Amino acid sequence: MPEVVAIYPGSFDPLTNGHVDIIQRGSRLFDRIIVSVLVNLEKRPLFTVHERVDIARGVFKALSNVEVDTFDGLLVDYAGSRHAKVIVKGLRAVSDFEYEMQMALMNRRLNQDVETVFMMPAEPYTYVSSRLVKEVVALGGSVTGLVPATVEALLREKKLARETLRA
Ligand code: PNS
């Protein structure tokens, strides 16, 4: 039987425990899951691609079937190049559904051989997003338990660096 490879794509700016939860579930379901960090030159991310890759590699070092990679261009082309037949996406709430369905159907139109699989994170993470995590930390709040410890430490470092620059 050929192995089933899944791609879990995203910006991961930064990785949250919601992402971690989906990746762990995916690693139990598929032979291999490739966490694929989007290299998006248009957006101005808080974390560099290198930092985002390093964080994910650190978090998943004990899971031998989780790989971390980067991609740009069309997701389905990248999936093809990695021999992946599955795209895994997390669905937190109904509000995620419309955009995710558009993307899934567009990706299917672009490549019939790649199937999108939606997975629900554990309930405590249904409201967690990278955007909210950054906002809470920037405004002095705590995100303990919502992101991996390495992410929390880096968020604090970046906040301190910005405050020092402003002083
Ligand atoms: O974490 P994000 O930013 O919500 O992830 C979005 C991502 C990376 C899944 C999406 O932007 C994407 O697939 N980009 C690749 C470009 C592409 O293939 N576009 C057509 C998709 S319908």
Side-chain angles (χ1 to χ4, degrees):
M1 280 268 281
E3 63 167 11
V4 181
V5 180
I7 301 281
Y8 181 55
S11 302
F12 305 111
D13 185 41
L15 187 79
T16 69
N17 282 347
H19 297 130
V20 173
D21 180 89
I22 296 287
I23 295 160
Q24 285 168 339
R25 286 171 201 282
S27 79
R28 293 196 288 269
L29 213 55
F30 303 106
D31 295 310
R32 201 147 51 89
I33 180 159
I34 307 172
V35 180
S36 305
V37 179
L38 175 69
V39 180
N40 190 341
L41 299 174
E42 282 156 33
K43 276 192 190 171
R44 287 194 51 224
L46 180 62
F47 288 82
T48 66
V49 170
H50 187 76
E51 285 173 322
R52 286 178 271 158
V53 166
D54 262 11
I55 290 166
R57 287 204 176 129
V59 168
F60 297 108
K61 62 175 182 288
L63 282 183
S64 60
N65 68 338
V66 177
E67 187 192 325
V68 183
D69 191 15
T70 59
F71 81 104
D72 57 12
L74 274 183
L75 178 60
V76 287
D77 289 348
Y78 167 73
S81 76
R82 298 303 320 263
H83 307 290
K85 293 262 185 257
V86 177
I87 294 169
V88 170
K89 299 302 283 294
L91 268 190
R92 289 165 299 191
V94 178
S95 51
D96 283 340
F97 182 76
E98 198 174 335
Y99 182 52
E100 289 297 341
M101 196 182 82
Q102 282 177 357
M103 282 200 287
L105 294 180
M106 179 62 83
N107 282 330
R108 179 184 285 166
R109 187 193 149 92
L110 292 167
N111 186 338
Q112 300 279 330
D113 294 332
V114 180
E115 205 60 58
T116 300
V117 171
F118 291 108
M119 296 179 74
M120 262 75 75
E123 288 96 330
Y125 306 127
T126 47
Y127 63 92
V128 180
S129 71
S130 299
R131 186 182 62 78
L132 274 188
V133 159
K134 283 184 282 194
E135 186 173 319
V136 167
V137 171
L139 298 174
S142 164
V143 290
T144 302
L146 302 181
V147 294
T150 45
V151 170
E152 196 179 349
L154 276 168
L155 280 166
R156 260 195 252 115
E157 254 176 49
K158 284 180 186 288
K159 181 173 190 282
L160 214 63
R162 271 201 308 272
E163 285 166 356
T164 314
L165 268 178
R166 252 187 261 128

